[in-house]
Amino acid sequence: VRALELRDGELTSILAPLPGAPDHCLIRVRLAGICGTDLQLLSGYADFAGVPGHEFVGTVERTPPEAESWLGARVVGEINIACGDCARCRSGARSHCPSRRVLGIRGASGAFAEYVALPAGNLHQVPDALDDETAVFVEPVAAACRILEQVPDVGARTVAVLGDGRLGLLIAQVLRGTRTSVTLLGRHATKLDLARRLGLDARLPRPDDAGVFEVVVDATGRPAGFTDALRLVQPRGTLILKSTCAGETALSLAQVAVDEVTIVGSRCGPFERALEMLSSGVVDVRPLLSGVFPLGAFDEAFAAARGGIKVLLRP
Amino acid sequence: VRALELRDGELTSILAPLPGAPDHCLIRVRLAGICGTDLQLLSGYADFAGVPGHEFVGTVERTPPEAESWLGARVVGEINIACGDCARCRSGARSHCPSRRVLGIRGASGAFAEYVALPAGNLHQVPDALDDETAVFVEPVAAACRILEQVPDVGARTVAVLGDGRLGLLIAQVLRGTRTSVTLLGRHATKLDLARRLGLDARLPRPDDAGVFEVVVDATGRPAGFTDALRLVQPRGTLILKSTCAGETALSLAQVAVDEVTIVGSRCGPFERALEMLSSGVVDVRPLLSGVFPLGAFDEAFAAARGGIKVLLRP
């Protein structure tokens, strides 16, 4: 099957064997999304080599006997492939299974390919009312919804989302669903315009934003985003860290102790809640779509993803 | 009055005017403790210039009329001098008052002097049963007790305290008061021996400590302590950050997001609880005392503080 392979920071088109294990479902990829993490992987994050891609919508074409009911279903898939047996899996924290593989990020071939493979337990059926271009956003919207699980009272607090990119625009919409006002702070005029068209309170950061917000979400995807977010958060406030960046950055943590800031690392989230948010229209993803490229045009697609918002690949 | 002054990283003995404002109590310093933060101040942390020192026990010798009942009392003092009027003060977070001065750290002359000045509201009477050498530990023990307020279920979780210095030895004792076992991880044979004499489970870190602890306290006072602590904490665990270090350090925060670690910055704590812990013997500080020096012998005292545990100055 055709797939994109990342090796030594270079992406190439290859012919790969069918992915997955006998107990996995084989899914024909209908659309796959390029995420900030994919751009980070190209810069060396997580030392990943193989087929990247972890946001997708597809059709189940082959299953193990016990999962036959999934045949033909249009699905999205949770990306952590856990052992299911260890103490952490049994405690419900499957996304933190120490021997997990992660689709397109760690030890598992990803969705920038004609086919992807996942256990049936990772799959979620897509309602007919959600088209492919919307459903491909389920994974990042779920990651945004993770914040609602980790900071349940976030709706009662003043919130800034820092970063007007893919994830920031989704997080701001998800959090707006819990309260009247969330401020999206970004640096790109066109993206801020888009955010305002989505009804968000979006603007450039100002000097008087320092120490103003009870909750700040770092969705910049840049190593310096942490320091910027720390500048915005109130003493005893909460900084939600969504950025995963390659390499080390010069940081000072003294303010974290002095201001007694709580930092909450945040990763994958609940797919069911994301499907609800997309179905109900709380989150509107269509305006975020910058382009759809065939798999072979990956160079153009990744270039567009660096400048634009959400770029999709169609294998 | 005689005092030590820090300027451009150099400590000198000076003759200073009497400290404080008319609404402050004037306290003759009986003993003052050298803290890791003082050593950091000498390295440039917080850009402090003036009289350092924030751990003390003293006798009230002069008061404003409304605080006359404090005259002659033996006291310890909370170090944050808040405005009392702002939104943050009214919400009870006086230690985060934006216009606060902090004894010997920010805008207020400290306790490495014959006299120190504080508002009466900052003072706590020392019970007769606590001698000066014990009472001078109230401030750092209170800082250790802050963890109990911030992570109320800490006693039900597996805890590692990283750092066998002044603060680590106090925190490990405070946390042990809540549960049967806390592991103190350090690098100094003599300090680990001392910790074991205090009945603590204390040892060198081991490779198999990685990802083991539900709660890790960074009490190293070193910038690299954060990275070491991050190595020890479980996914979805809590890292309590006590170290305040000058300057920036190269850090990677990707693991914080991937492992969904919660980092809790922690500073000043409840004096009443610290007085109880010292009175009841939950925390035993006498073995931590490395030496008592006259104020004039500050060079020797600071040298001893770098190598030892708790060094006191007697003005």
Side-chain angles (χ1 to χ4, degrees):
Chain A
V1 302
R2 274 202 311 148
L4 304 184
E5 187 183 54
L6 173 65
R7 201 164 294 279
D8 301 327
E10 288 284 324
L11 211 52
T12 51
S13 182
I14 62 161
L15 279 175
L18 273 177
D23 62 337
H24 283 21
C25 297
L26 191 69
I27 303 145
R28 185 172 53 76
V29 177
R30 300 166 67 95
L31 278 176
I34 299 176
C35 163
T37 303
D38 298 316
L39 300 176
Q40 288 286 331
L41 291 178
L42 264 69
S43 305
Y45 172 67
D47 290 326
F48 179 76
V51 180
H54 56 276
E55 304 176 358
F56 74 93
V57 55
T59 304
V60 179
E61 290 203 349
R62 204 169 75 192
T63 74
E66 68 277 13
E68 261 183 29
S69 62
W70 284 99
L71 261 185
R74 196 165 59 105
V75 297
V76 290
E78 299 190 44
I79 68 176
N80 295 284
I81 307 170
C83 77
D85 281 333
C86 68
R88 216 165 283 153
C89 283
R90 286 196 305 270
S91 79
R94 294 174 63 96
S95 62
H96 292 282
C97 170
S99 55
R100 73 184 178 277
R101 296 176 301 125
V102 186
L103 202 70
I105 295 175
R106 173 166 142 173
S109 264
F112 296 158
E114 288 178 284
Y115 285 91
V116 71
L118 278 174
N122 283 49
L123 303 182
H124 296 260
Q125 179 136 15
V126 177
D128 290 344
L130 283 191
D131 60 18
D132 287 344
E133 285 76 7
T134 304
V136 75
F137 282 88
V138 168
E139 199 279 336
V141 171
C145 291
R146 177 69 181 139
I147 296 170
L148 306 177
E149 297 179 332
Q150 294 179 295
V151 188
D153 68 341
V154 67
R157 300 165 77 185
T158 55
V159 180
V161 177
L162 188 62
D164 52 14
R166 305 159 190 82
L167 190 54
L169 289 163
L170 296 178
I171 290 171
Q173 292 187 73
V174 162
L175 294 183
R176 178 179 55 178
T178 70
R179 52 175 287 114
T180 44
S181 121
V182 174
T183 306
L184 180 76
L185 299 172
R187 307 189 301 173
H188 307 90
T190 54
K191 294 180 183 177
L192 291 171
D193 278 346
L194 169 61
R196 283 188 285 265
R197 287 202 302 280
L198 287 165
L200 294 166
D201 176 14
R203 57 175 174 78
L204 296 167
R206 296 189 302 241
D208 66 352
D209 287 328
V212 161
F213 298 96
E214 293 176 288
V215 177
V216 178
V217 182
D218 171 19
T220 60
R222 291 179 294 109
F226 175 78
T227 300
D228 294 342
L230 206 51
R231 192 183 69 81
L232 301 172
V233 73
Q234 272 187 19
R236 296 198 179 160
T238 300
L239 192 165
I240 297 165
L241 189 66
K242 274 290 185 191
S243 297
T244 47
C245 305
E248 295 188 327
T249 315
L251 297 174
S252 169
L253 295 179
Q255 190 202 327
V256 176
V258 170
D259 283 347
E260 298 194 308
V261 174
T262 296
I263 299 166
V264 179
S266 181
R267 189 165 41 103
C268 298
F271 269 48
E272 289 304 334
R273 195 149 184 186
L275 282 161
E276 285 164 28
M277 293 235 173
L278 289 166
S279 297
S280 66
V282 168
V283 178
D284 181 9
V285 296
R286 294 306 293 263
L288 276 57
L289 201 55
S290 311
V292 183
F293 293 79
L295 195 62
F298 58 89
D299 273 340
E300 294 90 325
F302 271 79
R306 283 182 206 281
I309 303 179
K310 183 58 79 180
V311 170
L312 304 180
L313 291 168
R314 194 187 303 276
Chain B
V1 302
R2 274 201 311 146
L4 303 184
E5 187 183 54
L6 174 64
R7 202 164 294 280
D8 303 327
E10 288 284 325
L11 212 51
T12 51
S13 182
I14 62 162
L15 279 175
L18 272 178
D23 62 338
H24 283 21
C25 296
L26 191 67
I27 302 145
R28 185 171 53 76
V29 176
R30 301 166 65 94
L31 278 176
I34 299 176
C35 163
T37 303
D38 299 316
L39 300 176
Q40 288 287 331
L41 291 177
L42 264 70
S43 305
Y45 172 67
D47 290 326
F48 179 77
V51 180
H54 57 276
E55 304 176 359
F56 74 94
V57 55
T59 304
V60 179
E61 290 204 349
R62 203 167 76 192
T63 74
E66 68 276 14
E68 260 183 31
S69 61
W70 284 99
L71 260 184
R74 195 165 59 106
V75 298
V76 291
E78 299 192 42
I79 68 176
N80 294 284
I81 306 169
C83 77
D85 281 333
C86 68
R88 216 164 284 152
C89 283
R90 288 196 304 271
S91 79
R94 293 174 63 98
S95 62
H96 293 283
C97 170
S99 56
R100 72 184 178 278
R101 296 177 300 125
V102 186
L103 201 70
I105 295 176
R106 174 166 142 173
S109 265
F112 297 158
E114 288 178 285
Y115 285 91
V116 71
L118 278 175
N122 284 47
L123 303 182
H124 295 261
Q125 179 134 18
V126 177
D128 290 342
L130 284 190
D131 60 19
D132 288 345
E133 285 75 8
T134 303
V136 74
F137 281 88
V138 168
E139 199 278 337
V141 171
C145 291
R146 176 68 180 139
I147 296 171
L148 306 177
E149 297 180 332
Q150 294 180 294
V151 188
D153 68 343
V154 66
R157 299 164 77 185
T158 55
V159 180
V161 176
L162 188 62
D164 52 14
R166 306 160 190 80
L167 191 54
L169 289 164
L170 296 178
I171 290 171
Q173 291 188 74
V174 162
L175 295 182
R176 179 181 54 178
T178 70
R179 51 175 290 114
T180 46
S181 120
V182 175
T183 306
L184 179 76
L185 299 172
R187 307 188 301 174
H188 307 91
T190 54
K191 294 180 183 177
L192 290 173
D193 278 345
L194 169 61
R196 282 187 286 264
R197 286 202 303 278
L198 287 165
L200 294 166
D201 176 13
R203 58 175 173 79
L204 297 167
R206 296 188 302 240
D208 65 353
D209 287 328
V212 162
F213 298 96
E214 293 176 287
V215 176
V216 178
V217 182
D218 171 20
T220 60
R222 292 179 293 110
F226 175 79
T227 300
D228 293 342
L230 206 51
R231 192 183 69 81
L232 300 172
V233 73
Q234 272 188 19
R236 296 198 179 161
T238 300
L239 192 165
I240 296 165
L241 189 65
K242 274 289 183 190
S243 296
T244 47
C245 304
E248 296 187 328
T249 315
L251 298 174
S252 170
L253 295 179
Q255 190 202 328
V256 176
V258 169
D259 283 346
E260 297 193 309
V261 174
T262 295
I263 299 165
V264 179
S266 181
R267 188 165 41 103
C268 297
F271 269 48
E272 290 303 335
R273 195 150 185 184
L275 282 162
E276 284 164 28
M277 293 234 173
L278 288 166
S279 297
S280 66
V282 168
V283 178
D284 180 9
V285 297
R286 293 305 294 263
L288 276 56
L289 201 55
S290 313
V292 183
F293 293 79
L295 195 62
F298 58 89
D299 273 340
E300 294 88 325
F302 272 77
R306 284 181 206 282
I309 303 180
K310 183 58 80 180
V311 170
L312 305 180
L313 291 168
R314 193 187 304 275

